Amino acid sequence: MSEYDYDLFVVGGGSGGVRAARFSAGMGARVAIAEERYWGGTCVNVGCVPKKLFSYAAHFAEDFHDAARFGWTVGQPKFDWPTLRDNKTAEIDRLTGIYDRMLTAAGCEVLWGHARVVDPHTVEMDGKTFTAENILIAVGGWPHVPDFPGKEHVVTSNEMFFLDTLPKEAVIVGGGYIAVEFAGILHGLGVKLTQLYRGPHFLRGFDDDIREHLATEMRKKGIDLVFNCNIDMVEKKGDRLVADLNNGERIETDMVMYATGRRPATRGIGLEEAGVQLNDNGTIAVDEHFRSNVPSILALGDVLGRIELTPVATTEGMAVANTLFGGKPTTVDYSNVPSAVFSQPPIGSVGLTEAQAREAHADDIDVYLSEFRPLKHTISLNEERTLMKLIVIRSTDRVIGAHMIGPEAGEMMQGFAVALKAGATKAIFDSTIGIHPTSAEEFVTMREVTRSGAREAAE
Ligand code: NDP
């Protein structure tokens, strides 16, 4: 019998922590898990899940418009924010309840409150101490707003899910996942929207063709996208906010939302006191088996600052359980992690961007591009266009990047991620018979090289 109260004490009940706790308990470990805010963490409560529900809601605006040319008389659509917000909240309450019950059913001891690490094998909560052979830090992250005068007047994604009223006008600052997703959501729900991004082009790290296509589509839909621009100061004037921009202009609006990245929530939970080394940005350095410099303290998910995606955290949770209690030391393969941005239209992406491919393979690449109006929009007369892109190493024929912007891009990219992971060549893509009529079939029927490193070099 172990000298400790538990084999594993998990601090943080988000996707990664819950996965590690449940599977460890399933393998016979004695597990406790502590959470102070909400079961399911960011993803379930103020992230992926409610955001996707809002994204569906926003898309109806175009669906009503598109329906008319298919013969439907819809009438004047009217949107009611409290209905969406409250139905969303009820669904999230249902989901968090399931998390709680799943943990208990798996045999975990479920603890509610703020946990603090006291030493390499001890955690303190509400004056009680618990000992554990292993402590897993899975506390996730929190939105970060830079310092500037008037910072207290702005909101972040956390508040967006619970607004009392929907603003008529809003400004979003940032050019990452959250900023473009909320730009699409608010615009779709009828908010007059301006998005400001500090650099020359948003979605840094995504493929350039995809970034440009999204900017074009967002502008076509009526979003005011301003690049090379940031806010210097925000002032409250009655019910309105006035934002001074660094280009000398001034915007008056109802709401300013900051989506300028997230920071790991690793301060104030005793890590430094217990000897755990934090990087300058607050993330925890771990080895391939998620152990920090204090071997009994492990960490996973957003606190690592690697890839901040729920399925990455849950994969890491499985790896921790397998390593500690399954007799199978497991590492995580971070190559070809697919992701989707639920912008309007959405993006799906796996593998290298063209710029990354050129850096890794010089001129040994072929790029296949297809840009078209999807079948549905030939009748709807919706101006939105789809773009698909494959990147191939010419000498080996291996497909190393697949990118798309258009309806259902996220759904489509999951399957192509399997193909890339399996090492599929362009010849295998070409010999795969398409599903007709779909947009997806375009990925297996792109025959003409659009750009080729060697051809460009030869020109
Ligand atoms: P991101 O890191 O994706 O983007 C942050 C954005 O804010 C960047 O455009 C960045 O600009 C900008 N920024 C940073 N600091 C400042 C500043 N001081 N002033 C002005 N702009 C600034 O963060 P998000 O908050 O959008 O999302 C956090 C993470 O959550 C994502 O990286 C992603 O991993 C995850 N996520 C995933 C989703 C999905 O899978 N669909 C959805 C939502 C979130 P620059 O590029 O110039 O640094």
Side-chain angles (χ1 to χ4, degrees), residues 336-338 350 412-422:
N336 286 320
V337 174
V350 60
M412 243 177 263
M413 209 46 65
Q414 187 69 76
F416 288 108
V418 176
L420 261 68
K421 206 136 178 105

Side-chain angles (χ1 to χ4, degrees), residues 51 146 175-178 181 197-198 204 230 259-261 308-309 340:
K51 177 276 311 288
Y177 282 80
I178 296 179
E181 288 182 344
Y197 172 58
R198 65 178 174 180
R204 193 161 57 81
N230 218 341
T260 44
E308 294 172 30
L309 296 175

Side-chain angles (χ1 to χ4, degrees), residues 48 51 144 146 173-179 181 196-199 201-204 229-230 258-263 302 307-309 339-342:
C48 332
K51 177 276 311 288
H144 171 73
V173 180
Y177 282 80
I178 296 179
E181 288 182 344
L196 310 178
Y197 172 58
R198 65 178 174 180
H201 211 294
F202 64 9
L203 284 185
R204 193 161 57 81
C229 184
N230 218 341
Y258 263 69
T260 44
R262 296 173 58 85
R263 294 281 153 90
D302 288 0
I307 304 178
E308 294 172 30
L309 296 175
S339 80
V341 184
F342 295 98

Side-chain angles (χ1 to χ4, degrees), residues 372 374-375 388 412 434-445:
F372 56 94
L375 179 63
M388 291 175 168
M412 243 177 263
I435 301 172
H436 190 68
T438 64
S439 290
E441 67 180 315
E442 198 65 18
F443 269 126
V444 296
T445 52

